[in-house]
Each structure stands twice: as structure tokens, then as C-alpha cells.
């Protein structure tokens, strides 16, 4: 083997070894859950029939999803100024999550809206906030995961 080829091979081994060490170090760090395909749908009450709010999202978390908390809030409320925190979200209602692939769950939050609820709710733009918690305890807070309008 020529000296130039030997040096090229040695440099390649060093480069690959460094990349592998970086990949192993990165893989050892906990990864936050990720949200995808988040949607919110509000249906107003009609006659004697209740309306509803349905929020869905796909959550991916290494090791699985422990829980997903959801809070609907009006865009023009005081929460816009104070900003939601994980502590605020810890005690709100939970979505129902079903496994939908490796480390991914499809989560649905649904709540009925009576005529009284709809009459009392502020009109206009609303946001759905989500706190996703992975099995390893890492979290992701998305305060405006999806929007809907109460008209």
C-alpha cells in the first residue's frame, strides 16, 4: 500500500471514529417528545344536541408516551400575557393516547360543549396548548399546538 493511500485510510478512520463518538454521545441524551399533525375542531351545539371540541395530535417519544395534557384557551385572555408553563399544564385534563407505531401515539382530547358552555365561552380565536411527557420524563410544551374559532 502506498504511503498516500495509507494516510487517506488513517484519516478516514479517524473521521469516522469521531462521527461515531458524536453519534453515541448524542444518542445518550434524552430526546424531547415531538408533536405532529395537531388539529382542533370545534362543533357548536345545534338544537338539543351538544357540541364538542376535539383535539388530536401524534406524539413521538423515545421509549413511549407517558401522558399528554391539553388545555383550550382564548387567544385574547390573560394567558397571552403570562405565558403557560409546564406547571400550569400539569393539572389540566389528559388526552387518550393509543399506540400508532414505534414510539408514537395518536392522542385525542374530546370535550362536550353544552349550549350553556357555548353561550358563556368568549367568541373568537382559541388555542389548544399541549404538554407531552415521555416515559423517561422529558417534556415538550406547545402553547399554540392548534387553533380553532368559537363564533
Amino acid at each position: 500500500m502506498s504511503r498516500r493511500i495509507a494516510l487517506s485510510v488513517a484519516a478516514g478512520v479517524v473521521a469516522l471514529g469521531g462521527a461515531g463518538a458524536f453519534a453515541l454521545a448524542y444518542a445518550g441524551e434524552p430526546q424531547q417528545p415531538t408533536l405532529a399533525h395537531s388539529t382542533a375542531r370545534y362543533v357548536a351545539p345545534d338544537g338539543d344536541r351538544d357540541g364538542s371540541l376535539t383535539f388530536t395530535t401524534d406524539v413521538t417519544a423515545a421509549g413511549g408516551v407517558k401522558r399528554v395534557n391539553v388545555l383550550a384557551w382564548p387567544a385574547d385572555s390573560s394567558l397571552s400575557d403570562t405565558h403557560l408553563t409546564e406547571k400550569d399544564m400539569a393539572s389540566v385534563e389528559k388526552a387518550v393516547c393509543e399506540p400508532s407505531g414505534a414510539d408514537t401515539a395518536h392522542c385525542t382530547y374530546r370535550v362536550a360543549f353544552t349550549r350553556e358552555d357555548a353561550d358563556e365561552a368568549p367568541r373568537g380565536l382559541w388555542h389548544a396548548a399541549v404538554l407531552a411527557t415521555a416515559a423517561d420524563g422529558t417534556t415538550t410544551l406547545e402553547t399554540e399546538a392548534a387553533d380553532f374559532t368559537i363564533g
Side-chain angles (χ1 to χ4, degrees):
M1 179 181 324
S2 77
R3 185 175 182 168
R4 188 173 14 162
I5 293 174
L7 288 174
S8 295
V9 170
V13 169
V14 169
L16 288 175
F22 174 76
L24 286 175
Y26 184 74
E29 294 178 19
Q31 300 297 305
Q32 292 181 304
T34 58
L35 306 176
H37 313 294
S38 299
T39 61
R41 182 169 181 251
Y42 171 73
V43 176
D46 186 21
D48 292 338
R49 186 181 52 97
D50 283 347
S52 63
L53 167 63
T54 304
F55 170 82
T56 62
T57 192
D58 293 325
V59 182
T60 302
V65 177
K66 182 176 180 180
R67 73 177 163 274
V68 173
N69 298 39
V70 179
L71 174 68
W73 60 280
D76 64 353
S77 72
S78 62
L79 290 177
S80 293
D81 299 327
T82 60
H83 304 290
L84 285 168
T85 66
E86 287 187 16
K87 185 177 178 181
D88 297 327
M89 293 292 295
S91 62
V92 302
E93 296 179 339
K94 293 174 182 59
V96 175
C97 297
E98 298 291 332
S100 63
D103 297 330
T104 300
H106 182 73
C107 302
T108 303
Y109 169 77
R110 182 177 165 89
V111 62
F113 254 76
T114 65
R115 171 68 56 201
E116 289 176 359
D117 295 333
D119 289 344
E120 293 175 7
R123 302 290 180 252
L125 181 66
W126 284 59
H127 303 296
V130 179
L131 175 62
T133 304
D136 67 4
T138 56
T139 60
T140 295
L141 173 61
E142 181 65 44
T143 59
E144 297 179 17
D147 297 329
F148 61 98
T149 301
I150 295 181

